[in-house]
Amino acid sequence: MPLRYAVWRFERTELAQKAARLLIWRAAANSDQGLPSILDSSSAKSFANHVARCVTGKAVNLMGGYGYSARNPMERRIHDAWGWGIAGRAIDLQQVNIASTMIGRRFDQRR
């Protein structure tokens, strides 16, 4: 049973990675006439970062304490996944951009 669960986890993370990659490619392809749309770019950024955090978190869980050891490259990957979510504008701000584009109204993000 544990092997079946691990295989299911790998399959789910592979699907999520492919979906994130397709969203990024779609945002890039739709931007060939100028700047990409806020909806496309924010959706791609938000989902890709969510997937990166989930996948690295599951990998560390699968590896146990060794996965978070400084000697293991997975430790660097999980720090990068969380760090890029902050550096590329927080996921919460991307979600505000998505909602404001869908509603058709900009929200003041400074309050």
Side-chain angles (χ1 to χ4, degrees):
M1 189 69 165
L3 179 61
R4 187 176 298 165
Y5 179 68
V7 168
W8 179 79
R9 270 186 148 180
F10 288 136
E11 183 263 340
R12 298 296 290 178
T13 57
E14 177 68 20
L15 288 176
Q17 288 175 0
K18 285 183 179 181
R21 203 171 285 130
L22 286 173
L23 279 174
I24 292 169
W25 288 343
R26 186 178 102 185
N30 289 344
S31 71
D32 62 355
Q33 303 298 327
L35 294 175
S37 74
I38 293 173
L39 181 62
D40 286 345
S41 61
S42 292
S43 298
K45 283 181 181 180
S46 178
F47 188 71
N49 193 262
H50 174 74
V51 168
R53 288 180 178 189
C54 287
V55 169
T56 54
K58 288 177 184 178
V60 168
N61 284 341
L62 190 64
M63 298 173 82
Y66 182 69
Y68 204 70
S69 168
R71 291 178 283 158
N72 192 325
M74 187 54 64
E75 185 261 347
R76 171 66 185 219
R77 288 185 179 102
I78 197 164
H79 282 284
D80 287 348
W82 281 90
W84 280 112
I86 297 166
R89 294 188 72 193
I91 293 175
D92 296 339
L93 294 177
Q94 299 299 337
Q95 291 171 347
V96 168
N97 284 342
I98 294 167
S100 65
T101 304
M102 291 173 65
I103 294 171
R105 178 177 162 228
R106 299 292 297 165
F107 298 104
D108 186 10
Q109 298 177 11
R110 294 190 175 113
R111 292 184 194 183

